[in-house]
Amino acid sequence: MNHTIAILGGGNLGTALAKGLLASKQFEMKDIIITDKRGHRLNYLKGKGFTVSDNNAHAIRHADIVVMSIKPQQFNDLVEEIKNYITDKHIIISTITGITLREIENSLGKLPIFRVMPNTALAICESMTCIASKNCNAEQEKRITSMFDKMGKTLKISEDMMSAATVVGAC
């Protein structure tokens, strides 16, 4: 089974992203896998028709885009679980508040990394998403920006503005 995108974390934001990817007609259900460690959440997502797993390593093996959509305190455990499965074919997207591009790079290697701050309006393609990136070429930048453009509006910002974007985006 090949999935184009693995969303690691099936909470509110991860689920909104998955719904937005479908609503914007960029992906089909078969192209998305969502992981979570909570059985009740996996059951909910499976009931909505999503492919789900509690195994992050399995999910990323079949994806070229890996979205880390977890709480900041879960970051180190997630990295330990996936670092041996991340390859240079992956594009990493993080919605994790307070975890910098440098921290992600130090943990996973020199990969194309995007730090995005959307809001749950992704689900209805009405999000305002701020994006900062590192180690990306023009094609990767265009691909990820375009992906979020189809779910609302995007604004490329410097990473030092991400904390402010987090506060504004949550309003």
Side-chain angles (χ1 to χ4, degrees), residues 10-77:
N12 292 335
L13 195 54
T15 300
L17 173 60
K19 288 178 178 179
L21 292 169
L22 293 172
S24 63
K25 301 191 184 329
Q26 299 180 72
F27 292 86
E28 297 177 20
M29 281 282 195
K30 67 177 179 58
D31 301 319
I32 301 170
I33 186 168
I34 307 172
T35 67
D36 207 283
K37 298 297 182 185
R38 301 166 294 173
H40 72 279
R41 194 66 189 170
L42 291 174
N43 288 335
Y44 166 79
L45 293 164
K46 190 173 186 176
K48 295 289 182 189
F50 290 105
T51 299
V52 298
S53 177
D54 63 356
N55 186 322
N56 291 314
H58 166 76
I60 64 175
R61 270 188 236 125
H62 302 289
D64 60 339
I65 298 173
V66 176
V67 180
M68 298 185 300
S69 188
I70 56 169
K71 293 183 168 110
Q73 62 269 27
Q74 298 169 317
F75 176 72
N76 290 330
D77 288 341

Side-chain angles (χ1 to χ4, degrees), residues 120-169:
T120 56
L122 283 168
I124 58 169
C125 300
E126 293 289 335
S127 180
M128 179 67 227
T129 302
C130 295
I131 302 174
S133 60
K134 185 172 182 146
N135 307 325
C136 305
N137 63 38
E139 180 183 318
Q140 293 160 334
E141 186 107 16
K142 182 179 177 183
R143 180 179 182 191
I144 300 306
T145 300
S146 174
M147 185 172 85
F148 283 94
D149 276 340
K150 291 178 176 87
M151 294 181 288
K153 296 182 190 255
T154 60
L155 179 65
K156 179 138 169 93
I157 62 173
S158 61
E159 188 179 24
D160 63 336
M161 298 301 295
M162 199 55 78
S163 293
T166 302
V167 172
V168 172

